[in-house]
Amino acid sequence: MPVFARYRVPVFEELGEHYEVYVVSSELDSFLGAGLEEFCFEGLKIKQHILVPTYKFLHSKLFYQSDLIKITKEVRPNKILVCAHSHYISYWFLLIYCFFRSIPVYSHIRGPYNRSKSFSNRIIYGTIYFLISKISTRTLLYTPNSLKRIEEFGLNKKRFTVIYNSIVNHYPIPPEEKDYSKIGILFIGRLREGCNLELLCESIIELRNENYPISLHIIGSGELCKFYTNKYNGGGYMKFYGDLYEQKEISEISKECIIGCYPGNAGLSVVHYMSLSLPCLVHDNIMNHQGPEPSYVRDRNNGRLFHYGDKESFKRTIKEMLDTGDLHLYGKEAYNTYLQLSNPSYAQRIINVLETLSE
């Protein structure tokens, strides 16, 4: 995998109960400025965590993760679960090597959710996903939306399995424990290009000028952290918590909020909001999102969608959420969505695929 993400710890912990797990990821130095943090695997059910250097080419359009084949030869794994990034040359080398060595490889990939159905995309990405599915033992997709796009590209869906990308929150807040009398909005995510936090902050300022006593709680850090804190940290109603990974603390902060919002290009944070019974507010252009997970948000069911790039639509949707009195209904459905995504767990869905194809 590229850089190890802390939210994947429960996944590897559960996989470690069934397998002897070796984790290979890029050294953090390869991704300086990405708003990521060092993480120690000590005490976890992981056999070994191997850090390797990653090199960038063509202005970071291509990558090469070192020593994957060498490590494969040394470890001699029965199965390999790999993050399938088509821009990683090393992924293709590993895939081809394992194909000829008869080592089962399960390619874990977002899918072409962010690619249009243009003729050129159908040729380019249709070919890429065809090759991945043909050489891999199985290709694991994040969401049903990803599988839908696979079918639209004319590919055989039988070689793909949807495993519903999600998180494990050990401190969820079910709807019966949620107080919707608070007027706060929660943001969780890296403060980076594309998060569009200024849209949320500016809208909060305008809404307060319209006598909405709304507050904003921002959890996360990144390359734009200093920019945002300098610009918006003076009002008292916008609180920046910085890097915060303890789920119990995040759940406590969420009790001050009744909406989970990602104003820019969202990803897995929407599932975290759902685990806290927070209706999700995201934009409606799935192809521009950071990941396919915002496709879990259903407008006027477990959250709301605003028109991509439209500030008035964004502010109007917040006002509608605050004024209509339906937030508790949206929150209940959001939590139900989280339960559906987490039962069985993400790790168990992976295990089910690994074991089914081994029979």
Side-chain angles (χ1 to χ4, degrees):
M1 62 165 56
V3 176
F4 178 79
R6 184 183 285 260
Y7 64 84
R8 289 300 191 199
V9 169
V11 177
F12 286 103
E13 278 275 75
E14 191 170 345
L15 290 174
E17 295 174 358
H18 295 79
Y19 305 104
E20 192 173 77
V21 176
Y22 292 78
V23 176
V24 181
S25 65
S26 296
E27 296 173 344
L28 201 57
D29 288 348
S30 303
F31 295 86
L32 287 175
L36 299 163
E37 88 288 357
E38 295 284 359
F39 180 76
C40 179
F41 274 79
E42 187 176 347
L44 300 184
K45 299 172 183 177
I46 306 298
K47 179 70 175 180
Q48 188 177 358
H49 181 206
I50 304 170
L51 290 167
V52 298
T54 297
Y55 303 100
K56 304 174 185 179
F57 305 96
L58 299 178
H59 304 288
S60 298
K61 292 182 179 179
L62 291 177
F63 302 84
Y64 183 82
Q65 203 170 25
S66 298
D67 300 330
L68 296 189
I69 293 176
K70 177 184 175 183
I71 293 168
T72 301
K73 290 179 179 178
E74 293 173 353
V75 173
R76 301 175 67 184
N78 295 322
K79 302 179 180 74
I80 294 178
L81 176 67
V82 59
C83 291
H85 289 269
S86 60
H87 292 273
Y88 276 70
I89 304 169
S90 47
Y91 163 68
W92 292 104
F93 286 168
L94 179 67
L95 201 58
I96 294 168
Y97 172 82
C98 292
F99 178 79
F100 285 107
R101 292 288 180 174
S102 299
I103 301 172
V105 176
Y106 299 82
S107 291
H108 181 251
I109 195 166
R110 292 175 176 179
Y113 75 96
N114 57 347
R115 305 297 176 183
S116 70
K117 294 180 288 185
S118 67
F119 178 76
S120 60
N121 276 347
R122 288 172 64 90
I123 296 297
I124 297 171
Y125 293 99
T127 301
I128 289 173
Y129 282 92
F130 171 78
L131 290 173
I132 290 174
S133 65
K134 197 70 174 176
I135 304 175
S136 302
T137 304
R138 195 72 172 178
T139 305
L140 313 183
L141 298 174
Y142 279 22
T143 68
N145 179 275
S146 303
L147 183 60
K148 179 182 176 182
R149 189 52 57 91
I150 285 289
E151 291 184 87
E152 292 172 348
F153 275 35
L155 298 173
N156 185 355
K157 69 177 184 177
K158 292 183 179 180
R159 295 193 63 84
F160 298 84
T161 298
V162 176
I163 54 173
Y164 297 90
N165 194 26
S166 61
I167 65 165
V168 175
N169 186 355
H170 294 296
Y171 297 92
I173 298 181
E176 59 269 20
E177 297 178 13
K178 182 67 183 172
D179 180 4
Y180 290 99
S181 67
K182 308 285 185 177
I183 308 183
I185 293 181
L186 180 64
F187 171 93
I188 302 175
R190 292 214 306 274
L191 304 185
R192 53 169 172 77
E193 289 292 336
C195 72
N196 207 12
L197 187 62
E198 56 264 52
L199 173 63
L200 178 54
C201 292
E202 295 294 339
S203 296
I204 293 293
I205 293 171
E206 293 178 15
L207 286 168
R208 288 185 66 87
N209 289 335
E210 297 175 26
N211 296 319
Y212 284 87
I214 194 166
S215 62
L216 176 59
H217 301 260
I218 301 161
I219 297 174
S221 186
E223 58 265 35
L224 295 181
C225 182
K226 187 174 181 180
F227 168 79
Y228 284 124
T229 52
N230 287 343
K231 188 173 182 179
Y232 295 111
N233 206 21
Y237 51 86
M238 295 187 192
K239 297 182 181 180
F240 287 80
Y241 298 88
D243 284 327
L244 185 59
Y245 300 101
E246 295 300 325
Q247 291 180 339
K248 186 175 182 180
E249 293 182 48
I250 294 173
S251 294
E252 284 299 314
I253 293 169
S254 78
K255 292 178 181 179
E256 300 298 316
C257 306
I258 51 176
I259 296 172
C261 176
Y262 202 102
N265 301 325
L268 200 50
S269 57
V270 298
V271 181
H272 201 158
Y273 296 149
M274 291 174 175
S275 74
L276 302 169
S277 293
L278 292 175
C280 300
L281 175 59
V282 295
H283 71 66
D284 59 3
N285 189 338
I286 187 62
M287 290 196 296
N288 279 81
H289 277 296
Q290 183 76 6
E293 297 83 8
S295 63
Y296 297 145
V297 181
R298 301 184 299 275
D299 194 36
R300 300 180 187 275
N301 179 275
N302 57 11
R304 289 296 309 271
L305 301 176
F306 68 93
H307 297 313
Y308 176 69
D310 188 337
K311 180 180 178 180
E312 288 306 311
S313 171
F314 178 72
K315 197 172 80 168
R316 183 174 63 250
T317 305
I318 293 177
K319 292 171 72 172
E320 289 176 358
M321 295 179 79
L322 296 176
D323 292 342
T324 58
D326 292 332
L327 283 178
H328 66 290
L329 300 177
Y330 296 162
K332 182 178 180 180
E333 288 304 316
Y335 191 76
N336 286 339
T337 302
Y338 167 71
L339 293 180
Q340 292 165 12
L341 292 171
S342 57
N343 185 25
S345 68
Y346 191 61
Q348 186 59 54
R349 292 179 194 271
I350 293 173
I351 293 167
N352 290 345
V353 176
L354 300 182
E355 295 305 310
T356 299
L357 294 182
S358 298
E359 294 175 353

